[in-house]
Amino acid sequence: MTEAWGPDDEDDRRRRGASGPVRVRVPSKINLHLGVGPLRADGYHELSTVYHAISLYDELTARRGDTLTLTMEGEGAGELALDESNLVIKATRALAAYTGMPAHARLHLRKQIPLAGGLAGGSADAAAALVACDALWGTGLSRDELARIAAGIGSDVPFLVYGGTALGTGRGEVVSPVLARPVSWHWVVAVADGGLATPQAYGELDRLRAAGGAPEPVGEPDALLAALRQRDPAVLAAALGNDLQAAALSLRPALAETLKAGEAAGALAGLVSGSGPTCVFLARDAAHAERIADELIAANVCRDARAAHGPVAGARVS
Ligand code: ATP
C-alpha cells in the first residue's frame, strides 16, 4: 500500500501504480459553524464555515480493470445510481482527464454515511475516488493537486481530501486548516429517516430570510475558532452555530424533538449538521457519547445514533 512506501520509492510508485486492491477510508464532515451569506450571481451562497471531519466512514476499494465499474453495499444501496451521475464516477473521470490516464478501475463502495444527510457523504466518496485511483494508477499527485481537482467536483470535496478541522470560504471550496489544540471532541450522530436535498434547505433559508422569519445570522466564526484553542467542551458547545438549522427545522419540524431529546440526555449542545436532517450532539467524553446515543435510540427520535470523534484525517489509503 502506498502509505508504507518511503519517499525514495516515489518514482517507482509513479511508474507502477498498485497491482493489488487499494482501499481508501474517508470520513464524513459536520460544520461546527455554518454562516450562510448572500446568494451570489452564480447561484451559490457565500459561506463562512468551519468543517470538522468525524469518524463515521465510507470505504472505497479500487482494483485494476479494463473499463470503469462501480458497485456498492450499505447505506443507500439499491437507491443510489451507480452511473455517470455518481460522484465516485465523476471524480474518477476528472482524475483521468487531469492525468491523461484511461479511466479504468473496478470500484466498490461500502457506505455507512447516510444519503443526503448533511454529512457530505457523496463528496466524501468523490474524495475517496481521487485518492484511490491516484494510488491505483500510480499518478502520485500531491494532496493540493487532488484538492484542486476536487473543487471542480463539489464544494465540500476539497475539505474531505484534507480532513481535520478547517475553515471553508467561497462556496466552501477554499479550505485552510485551523490551528487548534490536539484535542479529540466526542460527538453523537443522530441519523434521521430519509434525506433532505441541500438546494431545498438553502431555498428554504432564502424564503425565511425574505419573509423576515430567519434567526439572526451566525456571522463570522471568531468565537468558534477561539473555543477550538481551548480544551473545554462546554466552551465549544456555546460557540456552535448553523444558519441552515432554521431551514432544516422548518422543512422537518420533527427534528426539534431530536434536538430536545439530545439535550434531555445530557448533551452539551445539539445542532443540525450542514443542511440536515442529521443532528449532532457534543458530549463530554467517549463514554458520555455512548450513553447519549443509547438514550436517543431508546427515545425513538432517530433511525440510528452513533458515537463518533473528531477531528480525523481525510481520505487515506488504509
Ligand atoms: P452535503 O452535506 O454536502 O450537502 P449531503 O450529505 O446532504 O451533502 P450527499 O449524501 O453527499 O448529501 O449527496 C446528496 C446527493 O448527491 C444524493 O442524494 C445523490 O443524489 C447524489 N450523489 C451522487 N453520488 C453520490 C454518492 N456517492 N453518495 C451519496 N450521494 C451521491
Side-chain angles (χ1 to χ4, degrees):
M1 303 248 168
T2 49
E3 283 196 338
W5 296 345
D8 291 343
D9 299 321
E10 190 71 22
D11 288 344
D12 195 33
R13 187 181 76 166
R14 279 170 204 270
R15 246 190 341 264
R16 281 189 324 172
S19 50
V22 175
R23 189 172 305 127
V24 168
R25 194 167 79 152
V26 66
S28 46
K29 66 84 193 154
I30 60 177
N31 302 79
L32 304 180
H33 175 101
L34 179 48
V36 181
L39 190 61
R40 311 191 311 196
D42 63 3
Y44 288 98
H45 289 81
E46 192 68 26
L47 297 187
S48 170
T49 190
V50 178
Y51 291 116
H52 185 67
I54 60 166
S55 61
L56 171 62
Y57 296 101
D58 280 355
E59 189 184 272
L60 185 74
T61 305
R63 294 183 172 81
R64 289 192 174 261
D66 302 327
T67 56
L68 179 57
T69 59
L70 173 62
T71 52
M72 76 168 290
E73 63 188 287
E75 286 283 334
E79 193 185 326
L80 182 62
L82 300 174
D83 57 14
E84 296 291 326
S85 68
N86 196 291
L87 290 168
V88 169
I89 300 288
K90 286 190 178 168
T92 305
R93 294 220 183 273
L95 182 72
Y98 184 89
T99 57
M101 296 293 286
H104 291 171
R106 286 187 294 138
L107 304 171
H108 183 73
L109 179 62
R110 282 185 58 204
K111 209 158 166 54
Q112 285 193 291
I113 308 173
L115 282 196
L119 296 166
S123 303
D125 299 342
L130 294 175
V131 171
C133 291
D134 178 55
L136 184 74
W137 300 339
T139 38
L141 299 188
S142 67
R143 289 246 149 215
D144 290 347
E145 276 175 298
L146 292 175
R148 269 201 297 279
I149 303 169
I153 302 164
S155 304
D156 294 341
V157 188
F159 170 68
L160 288 151
V161 167
Y162 294 114
T165 303
L167 196 60
T169 53
R171 54 181 167 82
E173 87 287 12
V174 184
V175 175
S176 48
V178 164
L179 288 177
R181 281 183 182 259
V183 177
S184 251
W185 304 101
H186 295 275
W187 304 95
V188 181
V189 181
V191 178
D193 265 324
L196 203 54
T198 306
Q200 202 188 346
Y202 278 97
E204 182 65 5
L205 179 61
D206 291 339
R207 194 190 66 76
L208 290 173
R209 283 181 171 172
E216 195 60 29
V218 295
E220 292 303 316
D222 303 337
L224 191 275
L225 295 174
L228 284 171
R229 290 191 287 269
Q230 304 186 37
R231 283 181 186 277
D232 186 348
V235 174
L236 183 63
L240 299 168
N242 177 5
D243 278 341
L244 283 177
Q245 177 156 318
L249 286 170
S250 167
L251 293 167
R252 286 282 190 91
L255 293 180
E257 297 305 313
T258 311
L259 291 173
K260 223 187 286 167
E263 244 169 66
L268 302 178
L271 85 166
V272 168
S273 175
S275 54
T278 306
C279 293
V280 291
F281 298 92
L282 182 60
R284 278 192 303 275
D285 52 39
H288 189 212
E290 293 288 353
R291 280 202 304 281
I292 295 168
D294 288 347
E295 285 197 35
L296 286 171
I297 290 170
N300 210 16
V301 290
C302 51
R303 170 159 70 86
D304 194 11
R306 298 179 219 174
H309 63 272
V312 296
R316 293 285 183 282
V317 176
S318 61

